[in-house]
Amino acid sequence: MKQLIESGRFSLEEIRERVARIHRLALARSPYLKTGNFTRIHSSDLQLLFDLYDQSFFEGEMRAALGNSPLRFRISRRMTSAGGHTVRFTPRGGHGTTKYEIAVASTLLFQAFADDSHRTISSCGHVCHDRLEALQRIMEHELVHLIENLVWSSSSCSAPRFRSIARRFFGHTESTHQLITPKERAFVQFQVHRGAKVRFRVDGREYQGIVNRVTKRATVLVRDEEGQLYSDGHRYAKYYVPFNLLRVIREK
Ligand SMILES: [Zn+2]
């Protein structure tokens, strides 16, 4: 496999054809991915993509290099900034088998190409036209991590070796995605950002507070004598509030 990875190279035209074929085959074979902008996804879809990429780009050598090492696929709803994540689990003391896991962030995919999307989506230096294309870019990136782990036992997407493999096999010119994170969406659609003064209602009561953190929801700190003591000397209670329930209070 090392030789294939070090010397392999595809033209942009070849990459386009193979990637488009994988897009077609994934939609034809997956019971979950019905259209390019699928609304359901299952970890078996990642397995399906893995096999299609292994055949189209690596002559089945990824599977062969894995040997008996298990490779698990996972859809993560909690990852909100990275598009994917590849982990290598090494056994303690060198006994037992190494295991691998590839996780993909479904929140980012589902927010991309939503009806209310406000901008073009690109990933790894390519504009993506639907969710499946964005998922393919994420998978391609994670496959390079897996390959580096298999061949060299370590991987870094900011290092030259990674960039070279990603460029020669998949035409990637960047290591990052520009998928829409919940943080960006919160800001663009609802003007919610860290430090914003907001009000919201819970069970008919109105509260005012400060946004302390933005993930899938906003963490809002509300002054509360019973609450936890913070470094500013005040006590606050914490609320996790969906963005659409927050009203930003503008300072005059
Ligand atoms: Zn990476």
Side-chain angles (χ1 to χ4, degrees):
M1 176 169 212
K2 188 162 185 245
Q3 207 210 330
L4 171 75
I5 297 306
E6 284 180 333
S7 59
R9 178 185 292 275
F10 293 98
S11 71
L12 284 179
E13 197 45 46
E14 288 171 319
I15 294 169
R16 247 194 300 277
E17 276 172 20
R18 280 162 208 243
V19 160
R21 185 166 167 271
I22 290 173
H23 190 279
R24 277 198 309 278
L25 289 175
L27 289 182
R29 292 182 189 172
S30 166
Y32 304 96
L33 308 175
K34 299 282 180 210
T35 69
N37 280 327
F38 53 84
T39 51
R40 287 202 305 163
I41 183 171
H42 188 266
S43 55
S44 61
D45 294 320
L46 305 182
Q47 170 82 59
L48 173 64
L49 285 175
F50 172 87
D51 290 328
L52 291 170
Y53 272 96
D54 197 22
Q55 294 308 322
S56 310
F57 284 89
F58 304 105
E59 303 162 22
E61 289 205 24
M62 281 199 300
R63 183 52 77 190
L66 274 166
N68 293 328
S69 301
L71 169 62
R72 207 170 84 105
F73 297 95
R74 191 164 62 87
I75 303 288
S76 167
R77 285 196 279 166
R78 297 182 64 184
M79 286 163 57
T80 54
S81 74
H85 192 46
T86 299
V87 195
R88 169 191 166 91
F89 302 96
T90 41
R92 277 163 188 262
H95 302 292
T97 40
T98 305
K99 295 180 195 163
Y100 299 91
E101 182 187 84
I102 295 180
V104 166
S106 59
T107 305
L108 292 178
L109 286 171
F110 287 132
Q111 275 188 15
F113 309 101
D115 296 338
D116 55 4
S117 285
H118 55 278
R119 65 168 173 80
T120 317
I121 304 294
S122 73
S123 181
C124 307
H126 294 270
V127 171
C128 300
H129 301 95
D130 61 28
R131 278 182 194 144
L132 182 50
E133 283 190 19
L135 172 61
Q136 285 181 270
R137 294 303 86 72
I138 293 173
M139 271 302 275
E140 290 158 8
H141 181 93
E142 298 312 317
L143 291 180
V144 178
H145 276 305
L146 178 71
I147 287 164
E148 281 201 314
N149 273 308
L150 287 170
V151 178
W152 292 280
S153 305
S154 69
S155 179
S156 163
C157 49
S158 53
R161 186 181 66 204
F162 185 104
R163 287 168 184 261
S164 164
I165 300 169
R167 197 173 48 243
R168 285 181 289 111
F169 281 87
F170 300 125
H172 291 187
T173 53
E174 290 168 24
S175 286
T176 54
H177 67 74
Q178 282 84 40
L179 297 178
I180 297 168
T181 60
K183 204 178 221 158
E184 175 182 341
R185 183 167 163 264
F187 185 70
V188 172
Q189 285 190 347
F190 305 106
Q191 289 77 51
V192 170
H193 58 90
R194 189 163 191 264
K197 217 171 157 188
V198 291
R199 56 188 170 81
F200 59 97
R201 298 186 78 85
V202 177
D203 297 333
R205 223 191 116 185
E206 181 164 293
Y207 295 87
Q208 285 197 10
I210 305 284
V211 175
N212 190 41
R213 210 166 157 240
V214 180
T215 53
K216 280 172 82 168
R217 286 180 286 176
T219 306
V220 183
L221 298 182
V222 174
R223 286 279 281 273
D224 185 335
E225 288 317 312
E226 317 272 272
Q228 206 191 319
L229 186 62
Y230 277 74
S231 57
D232 65 353
H234 296 297
R235 290 183 179 275
Y236 295 92
K238 245 192 218 180
Y239 291 83
Y240 300 100
V241 191
F243 305 137
N244 59 346
L245 298 185
L246 290 174
R247 296 287 168 270
V248 174
I249 303 168
R250 303 196 186 282
E251 309 285 344
K252 298 209 177 75

